[in-house]
Amino acid sequence: MSDCIFCKIINDELPSTKVYEDENILAFHDISPQTPVHIIIIPKVHISAASELNEQNSEIVAKIFAVIPKIAKDLGLEHYRIVNNCGPEAGQTVFHLHFHLLGGRVLNGKMA
Ligand code: AMP
Ligand code: ZN
């Protein structure tokens, strides 16, 4: 999608600090980290939100969750939180499916 900032990052039209990349997935440091380690993990295919997942396109989510332990281990995270915000009222601000990987300090138990 031409006006999607995460698609621009995938296409190297915007800079990012990459921590993982393969043919389907990209992971990079969040520009405004909320924890000492805050990584954004995205599919290279544009899916606007988790609400757009279905039986045809959801295989990428399994692929993402298969690489999260590797990314976490590489960054020295033993304990971490994975977050997806789906829709503006749930805090989604970038409309390209992404998972936040948060860690590097003790996280409280609050979800919202
Ligand atoms: P969300 O609010 O769940 O849609 O998360 C979007 C996240 O993307 C926020 O944590 C932003 O700080 C982050 N973000 C926005 N623009 C960039 C960028 N250019 N590079 C890295 N992270 C970004
Ligand atoms: Zn996109």
Side-chain angles (χ1 to χ4, degrees):
M1 272 251 304
S2 57
D3 61 347
C4 169
I5 60 170
F6 286 176
C7 283
K8 285 183 177 162
I9 286 174
I10 291 163
N11 294 327
D12 281 326
E13 293 164 21
L14 277 177
S16 70
T17 312
K18 295 175 190 175
V19 296
Y20 178 86
E21 182 166 19
D22 66 28
E23 60 177 338
N24 301 304
I25 295 164
L26 182 63
F28 49 88
H29 286 276
D30 195 292
I31 202 167
S32 180
Q34 297 191 29
T35 49
V37 179
H38 185 169
I39 304 298
I40 298 287
I41 305 155
I42 62 175
K44 288 191 172 176
V45 62
H46 182 89
I47 298 169
S48 61
S51 52
E52 297 304 311
L53 290 165
N54 55 50
E55 286 187 0
Q56 280 68 49
N57 65 10
S58 59
E59 195 183 343
I60 188 62
V61 177
K63 289 189 165 126
I64 286 172
F65 274 73
V67 301
I68 283 175
K70 296 180 199 173
I71 296 169
K73 193 171 178 205
D74 285 351
L75 295 172
L77 299 180
E78 187 183 358
H79 301 161
Y80 47 87
R81 181 170 294 161
I82 302 163
V83 172
N84 170 257
N85 297 322
C86 181
E89 291 186 13
Q92 187 176 5
T93 59
V94 177
F95 294 90
H96 180 124
L97 177 67
H98 56 280
F99 296 90
H100 299 256
L101 173 63
L102 300 155
R105 65 165 165 78
V106 175
L107 304 173
N108 70 36
K110 281 188 156 186
M111 288 292 147

